[in-house]
Amino acid sequence: MLGLMMDYPLTIPSILEHGARIFPGKEIISYLPDKTRHQYTFLDLYKRSKKLMHALRYKFGVKKGDMVGTFAWNHYQHLELYFAIPGAGAVCHTINIRLSSSQTEFIINNAEDRYVFVDATLVSLLEPIASLLPTVEAYIILNAAKDFSTSLSNCIHYEDLISDCPDDSAWVEVSEHDASAMCFTSGTTGLPKGVLYSHRSVCLHSIMASLPNYVCISSSNKMLLIVPQFHVMAWGFPFAAVLCGAALVLPSSLLQPEALIKMIIDEKVDKAAGVPTIWQGIYACLKKNGHSSLPLKELLVGGASMPASLIENYQKDFGIKALHAWGMTETSPVASVSRLQPEHDALSEYEKINRRALQGQQLPFVELRIVMEDGVVAAWDGKSVGEIQVRGAWVIGDYFKTNNRESFSEDGWFKTGDVGVIDKEGYLQITDRAKDLIKSGGEWISSVALEVTIMAHAKVKEAAVIAIPDEIWTERPLAVVVLNEEKDLLSPEEIKNFLATSFAKYQIPDKFIFRQEIPKTSVGKFDKKRMRQLYTEGKL
Ligand code: AMP
């Protein structure tokens, strides 16, 4: 039809063009692995990303569609890679630094990374497998100290690579449908699988996640990204922050609660993102050291359920609002956020906390549905439990290099493997991962519901619940509990009584194991696969 809008591509370089033009002086602060503080501006980010893009194209001969890996902490050079690699038409493949060496080897080979940018403090993780990585032509070392040495061959220092490059080369022209970035799933159930994001999906995710009803990111914010840049692109927030002009604070390897609290105070951080275990550790440290206030106004939490008790503690003790965001590597990741609506003002504090503990409402251009065991799509009634399926503008169409239709419904929705309900107001509640649900005497028991309730006990720091085989009931729940203080005494009977007000008798675990810690995955979630294995081996 004549007289339509322009066909203007949504691309990652356009995000940086906008950020640097409109917010040139906005700051990006990095706390580097050697504990030094680095600060520069969006304009510096722009110029150095251009230099790096030039180096990739003209020194390395990186072409459209090539894979370039990053094996790095959160800091400004990693951010430059986020823009320069897609700006060269290539794919920024962020590699999880916490995987086993065989998984790392598999991922780099599966991606066919041509170059890997690696932090000096992490090279020891790549050295033992370098001979098994035939596609990697060179390693580029970030943040190397003067006395740095490595057995990796073909190494170049990052600053040496970009120092003599111009900062005004044109970005490579790409279509918005071209691949721009890739993350692998954390591989807790088999081999990791690649999820390839397009320029368009990254742009749309950045815009929608930033809307006021969701994460609400603007040029008034200063965001601390505790979530690693290798975990679903730090949940996409680096792109969203540059787009919206939010200042960034990046902590690299300084992830201890004391260090993070100091950053929040010194840098006047008002928004921060991390997994529940991080927030649990920070809360305990704040209480221990007698802090009474923080500049932080909102914390974004995702990757696992944050117990309502912890959401309440942050609100009550520090006036900090915790917002649940739900999603997966396959959904870029933000698909829903638990911000309250004006009609919730009338709710009691208790009801508000419980609503914020839900996984929230779907973002525009993402659709959620619940499909029950019999294949029927459930009503949003807050009762009908089933698998969560999702489709949308930043939801996976298929895994990298596969044609794996098992993960999709016949009508093309992605089957998340999460189980939950959606209420009348559209708030999603995750009750479990399908594989973690416990089926006892034919009845389903939610491990997540038990965990968050046990963690509400004042003496409990962490709790994870797994299914163990049972001759009579097929499966029974087993709770693994970490106490706040070693000297705290808490008996299984006391926990059972504590649970009795919220759970039917058959849902309450018969067995409790007290441990110093709970095994965690590479991105800080309870590693239930490992726990089941330890239990089978009699080592839990
Ligand atoms: P990943 O791909 O590593 O980000 O893991 C995605 C999985 O983490 C989801 O399928 C959920 O099981 C879980 N998850 C993510 N966000 C939340 C949340 N807010 N509450 C509960 N579980 C979550």
Side-chain angles (χ1 to χ4, degrees):
M1 192 176 295
L2 283 177
L4 262 180
M5 294 294 117
M6 287 181 193
D7 187 9
Y8 184 93
L10 305 177
T11 65
I12 290 180
S14 308
I15 295 179
L16 184 54
E17 286 288 342
H18 179 76
R21 167 94 21 132
I22 303 300
F23 314 104
K26 194 57 82 168
E27 65 275 32
I28 296 165
I29 295 143
S30 307
Y31 283 82
L32 298 172
D34 66 359
K35 299 198 170 68
T36 55
R37 179 182 181 280
H38 173 277
Q39 175 170 342
Y40 75 175
T41 65
F42 277 21
L43 188 58
D44 298 319
L45 168 69
Y46 177 83
K47 289 185 174 167
R48 283 173 50 94
S49 300
K50 279 249 163 151
K51 279 165 156 287
L52 174 58
M53 185 268 300
H54 184 96
L56 289 168
R57 290 185 70 188
Y58 300 110
K59 291 192 178 177
F60 287 165
V62 164
K63 303 182 305 300
K64 244 187 187 177
D66 281 352
M67 293 284 167
V68 178
T70 70
F71 197 75
W73 301 108
N74 290 15
H75 48 54
Y76 68 103
Q77 300 102 319
H78 206 170
L79 206 56
E80 292 161 7
L81 288 157
Y82 268 40
F83 289 100
I85 299 172
V91 178
C92 177
H93 169 210
T94 55
I95 307 161
N96 184 335
I97 62 170
R98 302 221 175 86
L99 295 179
S100 67
S101 56
S102 61
Q103 283 177 320
T104 309
E105 177 199 329
F106 169 80
I107 284 175
I108 295 175
N109 284 331
N110 188 251
E112 300 180 50
D113 289 326
R114 283 189 62 193
Y115 295 91
V116 177
F117 287 74
V118 50
D119 254 306
T121 53
L122 300 171
V123 289
S124 60
L125 299 173
L126 293 184
E127 282 166 343
I129 55 169
S131 64
L132 307 169
L133 306 173
T135 62
V136 180
E137 294 165 40
Y139 296 90
I140 303 85
I141 313 295
L142 305 159
N143 295 310
K146 282 210 173 66
D147 57 353
F148 172 79
S149 70
T150 175
S151 66
L152 290 176
S153 50
N154 293 333
C155 279
I156 304 161
H157 288 284
Y158 185 76
E159 295 302 330
D160 294 345
L161 174 71
I162 66 170
S163 60
D164 58 351
C165 292
D167 62 12
D168 57 359
S169 285
W171 304 110
V172 170
E173 251 182 57
V174 290
S175 143
E176 63 177 23
H177 297 289
D178 284 340
S180 63
M182 181 160 74
C183 296
F184 277 71
T185 58
S186 34
T188 38
T189 51
L191 282 175
K193 295 191 282 279
V195 180
L196 201 51
Y197 309 113
S198 64
H199 283 263
R200 174 186 154 88
S201 71
V202 169
C203 288
L204 290 173
H205 178 266
S206 306
I207 300 164
M208 299 307 158
S210 307
L211 289 175
N213 278 345
Y214 300 94
V215 183
C216 188
I217 301 176
S218 79
S219 51
S220 310
N221 293 126
K222 199 171 208 183
M223 288 186 87
L224 170 66
L225 299 184
I226 308 173
V227 49
Q229 284 186 248
F230 58 75
H231 187 203
V232 212
M233 316 300 290
W235 299 345
F237 295 149
F239 296 119
V242 172
L243 185 75
C244 301
L248 281 171
V249 180
L250 305 168
S252 77
S253 54
L254 311 185
L255 298 170
Q256 308 70 21
E258 289 82 359
L260 294 169
I261 292 169
K262 188 164 175 349
M263 275 175 224
I264 291 171
I265 295 170
D266 292 354
E267 306 297 348
K268 301 191 177 55
V269 165
D270 65 350
K271 230 182 239 287
V275 292
T277 43
I278 287 279
W279 295 119
Q280 169 68 48
I282 290 181
Y283 179 78
C285 186
L286 286 168
K287 291 300 277 184
K288 194 164 146 204
N289 297 337
H291 286 278
S292 55
S293 70
L294 281 184
L296 201 56
K297 304 260 180 327
E298 282 189 349
L299 58 89
L300 267 301
V301 63
S305 276
M306 172 112 151
S309 52
L310 191 55
I311 296 180
E312 183 182 12
N313 286 343
Y314 268 105
Q315 181 74 56
K316 191 170 58 96
D317 294 343
F318 302 103
I320 298 171
K321 211 180 267 175
L323 292 177
H324 247 157
W326 172 83
M328 325 174 65
T329 308
E330 290 88 336
T331 63
S332 301
V334 184
S336 72
V337 177
S338 69
R339 193 175 286 283
L340 300 190
Q341 299 297 341
E343 55 270 28
H344 299 128
D345 287 351
L347 296 178
S348 69
E349 273 313 301
Y350 174 80
E351 287 167 321
K352 281 186 194 164
I353 297 290
N354 281 330
R355 185 146 287 276
R356 271 205 263 122
L358 305 177
Q359 277 71 18
Q361 295 174 308
Q362 67 189 25
L363 270 60
F365 309 110
V366 166
E367 291 177 73
L368 300 177
R369 72 179 183 188
I370 303 285
V371 179
M372 295 190 292
E373 261 186 305
D374 55 8
V376 171
V377 176
W380 287 11
D381 59 7
K383 292 193 297 260
S384 307
V385 180
E387 183 181 33
I388 297 151
Q389 298 190 352
V390 58
R391 68 176 180 185
W394 48 92
V395 175
I396 187 167
D398 212 336
Y399 289 102
F400 177 61
K401 284 187 176 169
T402 63
N403 182 13
N404 163 14
R405 300 319 297 169
E406 277 163 33
S407 304
F408 298 87
S409 68
E410 273 175 19
D411 55 349
W413 293 58
F414 177 66
K415 301 200 260 182
T416 65
D418 279 349
V419 174
V421 297
I422 302 178
D423 70 14
K424 286 196 183 69
E425 297 175 63
Y427 282 76
L428 167 72
Q429 180 181 13
I430 304 283
T431 50
D432 230 323
R433 288 290 296 164
K435 62 183 186 318
D436 294 334
L437 270 173
I438 302 150
K439 195 156 200 185
S440 180
E443 299 282 348
W444 292 109
I445 303 175
S446 157
S447 65
V448 173
L450 284 168
E451 284 158 10
V452 296
T453 311
I454 299 173
M455 283 193 272
H457 193 289
K459 288 185 182 172
V460 175
K461 185 173 167 202
E462 284 181 336
V465 175
I466 55 166
I468 53 168
D470 185 275
E471 273 183 19
I472 302 173
W473 304 106
T474 318
E475 283 181 351
R476 289 295 299 147
L478 165 83
V480 181
V481 178
V482 181
L483 297 177
N484 267 327
E485 305 272 346
E486 272 177 47
K487 61 178 174 19
D488 272 345
L489 288 179
L490 189 63
S491 69
E493 281 318 307
E494 282 174 275
I495 305 182
K496 284 185 193 177
N497 290 338
F498 184 69
L499 290 172
T501 49
S502 331
F503 291 89
K505 217 167 166 201
Y506 77 91
Q507 296 174 320
I508 297 176
D510 324 288
K511 280 197 187 165
F512 293 82
I513 292 180
F514 293 88
R515 277 177 63 111
Q516 302 264 350
E517 59 178 3
I518 292 175
K520 307 255 170 48
T521 68
S522 59
V523 288
K525 306 183 194 194
F526 295 146
D527 191 345
K528 297 196 182 177
K529 188 176 153 211
R530 174 105 187 100
M531 287 168 68
R532 285 190 283 262
Q533 183 191 350
L534 287 173
Y535 180 81
T536 312
E537 293 166 0
K539 293 183 190 156
L540 199 59

